[in-house]
Amino acid sequence: MQEIRLERSQYQCVISPYAAPVAHVRDGETAVFYTEDAFWGDLTSEDLDPKQLNTYSNPLVGPVYVEGAHPGDALKISILDITPTRDIAVSCIHREFGALQYNRRVKFLNDPLPLKVYLYHYKDGVYSHGNRLSFSPDPFIGTIATAPEIQAPSSNTPFEQGGNMDVPDVKPGNILYLPIQKEGAYLYLGDCHARQGQGEACGAALEIAARVTLKLEVVPGLTLRQPRIESPTELMCIGSARPMEDAARIACYELVQWMIELGWDAMDAYQAITMDSSLYVGNMVDPNYSLVAKVAKELAYRK
Amino acid sequence: MQEIRLERSQYQCVISPYAAPVAHVRDGETAVFYTEDAFWGDLTSEDLDPKQLNTYSNPLVGPVYVEGAHPGDALKISILDITPTRDIAVSCIHREFGALQYNRRVKFLNDPLPLKVYLYHYKDGVYSHGNRLSFSPDPFIGTIATAPEIQAPSSNTPFEQGGNMDVPDVKPGNILYLPIQKEGAYLYLGDCHARQGQGEACGAALEIAARVTLKLEVVPGLTLRQPRIESPTELMCIGSARPMEDAARIACYELVQWMIELGWDAMDAYQAITMDSSLYVGNMVDPNYSLVAKVAKELAYRK
Amino acid sequence: MQEIRLERSQYQCVISPYAAPVAHVRDGETAVFYTEDAFWGDLTSEDLDPKQLNTYSNPLVGPVYVEGAHPGDALKISILDITPTRDIAVSCIHREFGALQYNRRVKFLNDPLPLKVYLYHYKDGVYSHGNRLSFSPDPFIGTIATAPEIQAPSSNTPFEQGGNMDVPDVKPGNILYLPIQKEGAYLYLGDCHARQGQGEACGAALEIAARVTLKLEVVPGLTLRQPRIESPTELMCIGSARPMEDAARIACYELVQWMIELGWDAMDAYQAITMDSSLYVGNMVDPNYSLVAKVAKELAYRK
Amino acid sequence: MQEIRLERSQYQCVISPYAAPVAHVRDGETAVFYTEDAFWGDLTSEDLDPKQLNTYSNPLVGPVYVEGAHPGDALKISILDITPTRDIAVSCIHREFGALQYNRRVKFLNDPLPLKVYLYHYKDGVYSHGNRLSFSPDPFIGTIATAPEIQAPSSNTPFEQGGNMDVPDVKPGNILYLPIQKEGAYLYLGDCHARQGQGEACGAALEIAARVTLKLEVVPGLTLRQPRIESPTELMCIGSARPMEDAARIACYELVQWMIELGWDAMDAYQAITMDSSLYVGNMVDPNYSLVAKVAKELAYRK
């Protein structure tokens, strides 16, 4: 099984079609990716300031060239396993970032919140920072994308080919489908979280370095506009946009389209998701908000 | 047990402090409310147009005067039971309303969607409209509010004292807390749904008339800014605003405030909801969007 | 000429269809209205806190019953004169209100800005607070509305019948058209500003008490969805909504509709405003944002 | 005077730090740039469909390497002249783009508007398409940016280093200041408009090919977060973001910061722009909305 492990200097903080592939995988191959945490593994003490450590966060492994992947196909990513590679996780309240304070896009004249770093230690099945702040792991991939054809978005941004969606359903047992715009797909991933609530309120989850095992397959001719997720029991669509209602509409619109592909009449599908679907906030802190609409397969596959 | 059942002419389509109470209940009393569906019970055929039938939708029972309720207190509403009073439910795709088409607030020059009414029949434990569109009941109250001190919002609007939140967790087994701004609380309710997905995509759920049993208690001195919900295992805060991120922020902010009341440090509470909370869309179709942030009591009550 | 001057206890802080008219005017009559400033005239020292003084701001004169005004007509309001009735104007940076700090709708955990009250004195044709902060008057009506049929919005809110739009073009020399939903129109006004920039950034302009002279005429059968303004050279439509793009779309959509009424093809009107219109922010601080789209009459009336 | 004129194959539809410079200019040099229109000059008949013609729109000239430009400096761009190079201009109503119809970010199930292309001919000082649609020129640069350090945004996107702002004040007689993030600045420009209203409602202005004359100077140590414009009489700040209120806040915040640089107290500057500034919508159709806050130099430079 191919293992893809980069030198520190090789990580990318953009999801770029212009970089040279760091590895090639075959269609159908299972590969292992060693990812760094969002802070480059440098936030090792609660006295450090992440802004002093690195200019860019969310270093990614990639681009990985998937053989046989053509523009207009989809990349089917079966998430087999995520294993943390250290026994700590790190989070922090940033000075000018997060849902409950002003930030780069919501500009206010108030004083910032004070920086506060949280180091969590893993022991006996939980990540803990004191008694109250202890959480069992439920790991997922925060950032995963194929490259756009000509743009190069930041590794902090969720967009139409994936990116920093921070959606907890991108986790082992589930399958992620990403649109392909570039020959070879150019897959990037990183920013794993040991656990995160919906919304990722303060903007930093339980950030971990991880060993990620993925099976990569090309689905020829499946042309997607947005990422999709399939769990054993559910179909999900992700919308990433601003304002948040634009993201919610995209997620719902794409779910209706998926049901139309399964044979539904458009208005009936619109009724169905009105009565029996979930719609949650993946992230409310990134340059785009990511929302997830989901419906049970039992309903979607009804005849 | 007091039963509150109105004449058709008595329903209200505003949540007004100016109307005369239709009933009085004592602090601690359990009462039964007979509510009409969102379409006044008039949408009895798929050939009818709801806009032709009534000028205003969501007729409410109220105001109900709760004795001992003073401004600055909270109204604790234990939802004991919701029983549909007919064997049909009704939904519809409106011409200019809903998440996936232009509407009164999102004005476009495109042609409207065609009107389509869906009558669902209840039999053998499911509401059905053909084979695909069949749903088991999970009833809740779509619209419930206390009156503002001086304003009178539409029964279609969710706001700081509740209103048309369309939040599926306002259901039997849970407790809703509403702010009180007016002597006697002036409770209004109606617009019950036999079932609804998160977001209420098309804008009309499985709309039903119902018999609603509530226990009403005053919590003296509990001054709330927004509605709260308590389930057997969870604490929830609702934010209703536009754009949707404003609603999401309000819900998260209020959840942090609730945890501060329980003894948490503000930054630790912010961390806690970052790692282990839910954040879902109640409605994405009403004059304000309603989002729900929730956290497990097990976490919130930790010492 | 009828003069409408209220006792302090008679002012309204809601735009309500439920209040008793304070005066009646005939269709075509010119009347004079004495309005109080947004702070009830109480903010007479820079050491006072407006939140301590009054629960509600923006006290209004009204409702004024306009004879012959029926639902479905428009109220044509020719603004003839606005004369300040004191030689001071007042503004303030609120603790939790304004465009550049968190507020009731944008909830953050940051510390508030400190309260700062600014008293301006009028002399030699300018309102001054020191040398830098001196401004020549360009007075307009901040809040003016007809009552909704059944709702009662706050005097702080702009909505479909007008309200707290804070649009500087509601000024002498211009004509405001408001939709009528209630027999008698139920006109309310107040909150005059000696001057205000576009956006009303901090949320309080040069707030003044004023003597306002209006000519009121009913336009039978002119059914409007939103307020319109006519200046000697321009046509304007106002959209009030959230998020701000919803307000911008409403303003542009209504301007296209106005041009269609003047004989334009819809797509040509859409082209015309693309090439030659203005679109400015009236307020970015109130419960709804108000945007103004305008086009030259020379263009709109072309054949 | 250096003239920069590209082959068709050399145009860029991303603002990329990864492309090879097409020209070098000295600090202080005046240069001439020949730009193509947003449709590559291919939309030469009203029967053509722009989506069939080219995958990407807004082809740009660049990157131009400015000698002596370092990250942390500003690029001062004096716009000396814009001369159209053809006697036609082109606009169109797109099927799924523009302010008054659904589009890639506002996803609805309605039918699209029909495509309609408008060719305008220039004669006797006006661009005309029939009698009603005739407009005098007031040309400006729709898209102009320096490259980000590592990202590569689309030429359709406005962002922190400029881009597709579609702000009519980027015109002859004014000076544009852009942040520099990359050695050599990497200037790109194109998408000139013969005229455009505020908001660019339908999403395509009077699109022209042009000969653009710019004087380029480096301002060492002037570190900007956003573009600024200086006219002979005014200072302006541009905010590009979504939702629109985020863009408005950025524009106002940056204007306050500029006034602080000029010696103002922050709260006094906040007061000043409240009373006497403009705030207009540049574009309401691009991936980010661009708003412009402006204040008179006479006010800003007061002591």
Side-chain angles (χ1 to χ4, degrees), chain B residues 46 55 83 97 126 136 155 180 183 194 204 218 223 252 262 267 301:
Chain B
E46 298 195 344
T55 307
T83 302
F97 184 65
V126 292
S136 58
S155 61
I180 296 175
E183 200 70 26
V218 176
T223 304
C252 291
L262 295 175
M267 292 302 102
Y301 289 144

Side-chain angles (χ1 to χ4, degrees), chain B residues 3 35 37 44-46 50 61 91 96 102 136 153 156 188 193 209 211 220-221 230 235 285 291:
Chain B
E3 299 215 333
T35 63
D37 73 32
T44 55
S45 153
E46 298 195 344
V61 173
S91 181
E96 302 191 347
Y102 72 84
S136 58
N156 287 306
Y188 291 79
H193 296 172
R211 183 183 185 279
E230 186 181 344
L235 306 182
V285 293
L291 269 77

